[in-house]
Amino acid sequence: QVQLVESGGGLVQAGGSLRLSCAASGSIFSRNSMGWYLQAPGKQRELVASITNFGSTFYADSVKGRFAISRDNAKNTVYLQMNSLKPEDTAVYYCFAAALGSSLRTWGQGTQVTVSS
């Protein structure tokens, strides 16, 4: 079973930057995807960015050009560099891991990101 531990959330002013980290331990699928969802109050969880262990990436339109996802396969860790943050980026960010082609997700505990105007 995979366990995910997140870090790096916090409070930042609009235009600022934050870097989220998510370290995975346990049984990691050899072909997998890791990434981040966000969930704003009263809204559904939505995909922000993901990256496979082969390096293929996906970004939501709302974060393209501002966020960058990367991973260190040797450390089973994924990073989300968030630049030019906006108040609408405020949410709880959840790290996930999944086998490629599977809809089942393992989730981290979530980390709060708050962007003040």
Side-chain angles (χ1 to χ4, degrees), residues 16-40:
S17 298
L18 284 173
R19 188 192 195 208
L20 305 182
S21 299
C22 175
S25 60
S27 300
I28 308 297
F29 300 108
S30 59
R31 291 160 48 88
N32 64 76
S33 176
M34 295 181 67
W36 300 87
Y37 280 70
L38 67 80
Q39 188 165 23

Side-chain angles (χ1 to χ4, degrees), residues 48-105:
V48 177
S50 65
I51 184 168
T52 70
N53 57 313
F54 303 110
S56 296
T57 59
F58 166 86
Y59 293 96
D61 287 344
S62 59
V63 305
K64 283 180 180 177
R66 299 189 298 123
F67 291 10
I69 191 168
S70 61
R71 64 186 287 168
D72 184 334
N73 288 332
K75 297 180 179 180
N76 287 324
T77 300
V78 63
Y79 307 95
L80 185 67
Q81 179 66 43
M82 304 186 294
N83 299 323
S84 302
L85 282 161
K86 305 175 181 180
E88 51 264 44
D89 295 321
T90 295
V92 177
Y93 285 69
Y94 293 92
C95 177
F96 81 91
L100 284 182
S102 172
S103 61
L104 297 178
R105 303 276 186 268

